[in-house]
Amino acid sequence: MKGIKIELEMRKRAVILTGAGMSAESGLKTFRDANGLWEGHDIMEVASPQGFARNPELVFEFYNQRRRQLHSVAPNAGHKALVDLEREFEVNIVTQNVDNLHEKAGSTNVLHLHGELFKVRSTENENLILDWTKDLNLGDVDENGIQLRPHIVWFGEMVPMLEPAIELIMKADVVLIIGTSMQVYPAASLVNYAKPGIPIYFIDPKPSVHESDFQNLTIIPKTAAIGVPELVAELLQN
């Protein structure tokens, strides 16, 4: 057992930050269209406490559609490559995505910053969280008779998993940023907590950063399904 513990302690820590581009090639639409609308809806209609209070049925149906779609998609080569990385690295994934494709691929340490589609929670107790894979409607209640809501972090709400994510980044020996524009805060600020000088890789077909933006940054202008397997193979070889 002692030998196993020493081996685990010697493994390098890789922290992976993933965004919508990670799941796009699995067929999942990114919520936000080019015009800023989410599936034709103003963001505040379907992703804010105020919108939920005004029209809960609209909000339920929006996420029911997302949940139904999630049943029909599978992890892509990028998701699967991150599972391979666990052979040699201690891997922690911090994702802005609310799908379960990292888990479905086999990744063992996944932190969801913005919540999860396959979970719901009480409207009165944010710590009362339930697994939920079917439609959610008015009248669906928790054990105390309180209406349930999507387990999604909406605009204007606290991001409870932000502090754990910062702790992971601070301990990282290498950081991979995949399929995110690095424009959505507070998630975009996470890379600033990385130790100075560690390798940072940015994988996106339309990079929104420059190599001068961060120390020791390598930009890979490819999709997740192509760029991630290539980089993982290189990291495992080295």
Side-chain angles (χ1 to χ4, degrees):
M1 291 296 292
K2 185 177 180 181
I4 294 174
K5 184 178 180 182
I6 292 173
E7 181 182 341
L8 289 173
E9 288 175 349
M10 290 176 64
R11 295 173 84 193
K12 286 192 173 182
R13 295 187 174 107
V15 174
I16 323 295
L17 306 178
T18 67
M22 185 81 218
S23 299
E25 288 164 283
S26 290
L28 279 180
K29 295 180 184 177
T30 59
F31 280 16
R32 194 178 306 193
D33 300 326
N35 58 6
L37 298 180
W38 281 16
E39 300 292 310
H41 299 290
D42 180 272
I43 289 170
M44 301 309 286
E45 289 180 4
V46 294
S48 73
Q50 296 81 5
F52 183 62
R54 280 193 300 269
N55 193 344
E57 291 98 336
L58 174 65
V59 175
F60 284 137
E61 182 54 25
F62 179 83
Y63 291 101
N64 286 343
Q65 289 177 15
R66 312 280 82 69
R67 204 176 292 110
R68 290 173 208 147
Q69 185 189 21
L70 191 49
H71 285 289
S72 65
V73 297
N76 60 57
H79 292 105
K80 295 172 184 176
L82 294 180
V83 180
D84 294 336
L85 192 62
E86 292 189 21
R87 295 204 308 264
E88 299 291 339
F89 287 77
E90 179 186 324
V91 176
N92 283 277
I93 296 172
V94 177
T95 185
Q96 298 174 60
N97 300 334
V98 295
D99 61 65
N100 68 338
L101 293 178
H102 284 300
E103 291 91 341
K104 193 181 277 190
S107 289
T108 54
N109 299 303
V110 185
L111 185 155
H112 287 266
L113 275 179
H114 296 158
E116 300 178 60
L117 273 176
F118 277 170
K119 291 184 178 179
V120 298
R121 71 174 188 253
S122 169
T123 51
E124 289 190 2
N125 179 5
E126 65 181 22
N127 296 313
L128 203 169
I129 301 166
L130 305 173
D131 292 326
W132 199 274
T133 58
K134 57 186 179 180
D135 283 3
L136 178 67
N137 300 297
L138 274 177
D140 290 326
V141 297
D142 66 18
E143 60 195 30
N144 300 311
I146 304 300
Q147 176 66 48
L148 295 165
R149 55 159 277 183
H151 181 50
I152 303 292
V153 177
W154 288 329
F155 288 93
E157 294 185 323
M158 298 291 288
V159 183
M161 300 309 292
L162 184 61
E163 286 300 323
I166 290 172
E167 290 180 18
L168 290 173
I169 286 284
M170 291 175 70
K171 297 175 182 176
D173 298 306
V174 57
V175 172
L176 279 62
I177 304 169
I178 307 166
T180 173
S181 65
M182 297 296 289
Q183 304 298 315
V184 178
Y185 286 83
S189 65
L190 285 174
V191 69
N192 297 321
Y193 292 93
K195 290 181 288 191
I198 68 166
I200 299 173
Y201 298 91
F202 189 93
I203 302 173
D204 195 276
K206 297 179 180 177
S208 58
V209 298
H210 304 282
E211 292 198 340
S212 58
D213 290 345
F214 299 99
Q215 186 181 6
N216 210 8
L217 173 66
T218 300
I219 295 175
I220 301 171
K222 298 183 179 182
T223 64
I226 296 174
V228 177
E230 290 179 0
L231 175 59
V232 166
E234 183 180 320
L235 292 172
L236 291 175
Q237 187 175 8
N238 293 338

